[in-house]
């Protein structure tokens, strides 16, 4: 399985979200997924945030029950009804402890100290997951246990503004 993104140029995520503004999820295409795939789950994280976030990887987007093999730019908003989305790290004390209802879906990249590497993880699953909008990331991984058919990762840098 392979992840392709038109939002990445020369190993860097583009800062251009077209008409969507600066806080749109990247375009993602999934190639060569197993034929028996029933749904996909995804996670976008920033492991370089560990030293500046209090010791944890920053969750930018967790989503599941995705049935499309192609997510256009800003799918977190434009296709919100076709997937289940989890909490991003703005619910954490380091993120401002925003109310959970304000932290569902994608949150943009904004490394505070230097360029960071962001990783897109995609999991092909043999079923949809029994989760609701606002799930914490760990619940997605619990629900996926024993149901992952294939997985792929794609890394790219994001330049500190």
């Amino acid at each position: 399985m392979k992840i392709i993104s038109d939002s990445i140029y020369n190993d860097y995520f583009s800062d251009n979200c077209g008409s969507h503004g600066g806080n749109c999820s990247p375009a993602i295409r999934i190639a060569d997924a197993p034929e028996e795939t029933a749904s996909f789950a995804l996670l976008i994280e920033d492991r370089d945030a560990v030293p500046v976030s209090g010791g944890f990887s920053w969750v930018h987007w967790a989503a599941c029950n995705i049935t499309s093999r192609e997510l256009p730019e800003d799918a977190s908003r434009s296709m919100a009804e076709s997937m289940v989305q989890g909490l991003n790290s703005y619910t954490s004390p380091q993120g401002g402890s925003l109310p959970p209802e304000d932290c569902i879906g994608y949150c943009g990249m904004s490394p505070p100290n230097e360029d960071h590497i962001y990783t897109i993880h995609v999991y092909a699953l043999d079923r949809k997951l029994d989760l609701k909008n606002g799930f914490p990331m760990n619940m997605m991984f619990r629900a996926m246990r024993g149901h992952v058919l294939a997985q792929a990762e794609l890394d790219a840098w994001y330049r500190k503004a």
Side-chain angles (χ1 to χ4, degrees):
M1 192 166 81
K2 183 177 179 181
I3 303 168
I4 304 159
S5 178
D6 293 337
S7 298
I8 298 173
Y9 306 97
N10 297 323
D11 295 325
Y12 275 84
F13 279 100
S14 168
D15 214 4
N16 178 9
C17 285
S19 62
H20 305 296
N23 192 36
C24 65
S25 55
I28 297 169
R29 286 193 321 263
I30 304 161
D32 303 323
E35 196 172 300
E36 60 274 20
T37 300
S39 72
F40 297 98
L42 73 83
L43 171 68
I44 298 179
E45 69 175 328
D46 173 8
R47 293 182 188 139
D48 287 336
V50 171
V52 292
S53 69
F56 66 92
S57 179
W58 191 272
V59 174
H60 284 271
W61 193 19
C64 65
N65 298 349
I66 300 165
T67 56
S68 176
R69 292 173 190 257
E70 189 164 339
L71 298 175
E73 209 167 61
D74 205 34
S76 176
R77 289 187 280 214
S78 68
M79 295 178 66
E81 299 301 318
S82 67
M83 66 183 85
V84 177
Q85 299 186 78
L87 296 172
N88 60 53
S89 287
Y90 278 109
T91 60
S92 69
Q94 294 82 355
S97 299
L98 298 178
E101 60 271 13
D102 294 339
C103 300
I104 296 171
Y106 178 79
C107 69
M109 301 172 191
S110 59
N113 59 334
E114 61 191 10
D115 294 358
H116 284 199
I117 296 173
Y118 293 78
T119 304
I120 301 172
H121 306 268
V122 174
Y123 305 89
L125 307 174
D126 64 3
R127 68 177 188 143
K128 287 187 173 183
L129 304 180
D130 187 20
L131 295 172
K132 298 194 182 326
N133 280 329
F135 63 83
M137 175 188 65
N138 66 310
M139 296 308 292
M140 181 174 82
F141 283 99
R142 284 185 186 184
M144 290 188 333
R145 291 181 87 182
H147 299 284
V148 177
L149 301 171
Q151 62 187 44
E153 292 183 0
L154 177 62
D155 290 331
W157 291 88
Y158 185 83
R159 188 170 310 282
K160 180 178 170 21

